[in-house]
Amino acid sequence: MTFYTLNYIQNNQNTDRAIFYVLTLIATVAMIIFTILYLRNRFATRYRDLGIIALLFLLLFVGTQYEKYTQINMQKSQATQIIPFIKSVARDENVKPSDVLVNSTTLVNGMIVRVDSKNVDYQLNLNDDRNTYTLTQAHVIDHRVDVRN
């Protein structure tokens, strides 16, 4: 079972988008070059076709970037929900927030919360309005865990 610390949730909201930026830049430059070559020699339609292919790649990369952008925004909004929850559990259990581990990076009903310093596991039961919760003691079968800091 994988558990996440508050530090991991706060710091790992960004994904590496450098590859998409480079590919988008390459597709843009290729489209511009093929457009210039086509405009210099309008009878060479291969440049027009290559420019259209570069444009399609550019649209594909931009669409992928937009999808990742919306996904990252959704993850950030869900992470903003779990951070106060972890701090609340730490305050209620009288431990540091770094001692509270969760098995999900988003606030979901039924997730396992581990208070590491007390070596106790709880199952989260969220109310319908997601403003209140109850923790019931849980017993995990496999005690081997992977903690992501």
Side-chain angles (χ1 to χ4, degrees), residues 120-137:
V120 178
D121 295 323
Y122 298 103
Q123 182 176 7
L124 172 67
N125 297 312
L126 285 170
N127 198 355
D128 290 335
D129 62 359
R130 300 177 73 89
N131 286 329
T132 60
Y133 64 89
T134 56
L135 294 174
T136 56
Q137 191 168 0

Side-chain angles (χ1 to χ4, degrees), residues 11-101:
N11 294 332
N12 290 323
Q13 296 304 315
N14 298 329
T15 60
D16 186 21
R17 296 184 281 176
I19 294 173
F20 285 108
Y21 288 141
V22 170
L23 291 175
T24 302
L25 180 67
I26 290 171
T28 303
V29 169
M31 187 183 72
I32 291 170
I33 290 172
F34 292 136
T35 301
I36 291 171
L37 289 173
Y38 172 69
L39 291 175
R40 287 182 61 207
N41 187 2
R42 293 186 191 267
F43 293 113
T45 58
R46 68 175 178 235
Y47 295 127
R48 181 194 66 195
D49 296 341
L50 290 173
I52 291 172
I53 290 170
L55 176 67
L56 291 175
F57 275 121
L58 180 65
L59 292 174
L60 176 72
F61 295 139
V62 168
T64 304
Q65 279 299 102
Y66 179 74
E67 178 65 29
K68 284 204 171 280
Y69 172 76
T70 57
Q71 186 180 29
I72 287 171
N73 280 345
M74 186 177 66
Q75 286 175 350
K76 282 183 180 179
S77 102
Q78 290 175 341
T80 58
Q81 293 175 350
I82 199 166
I83 291 170
F85 167 74
I86 291 174
K87 290 179 180 178
S88 173
V89 170
R91 187 175 49 249
D92 292 344
E93 293 289 325
N94 294 322
V95 296
K96 296 182 294 188
S98 59
D99 286 341
V100 178
L101 309 173

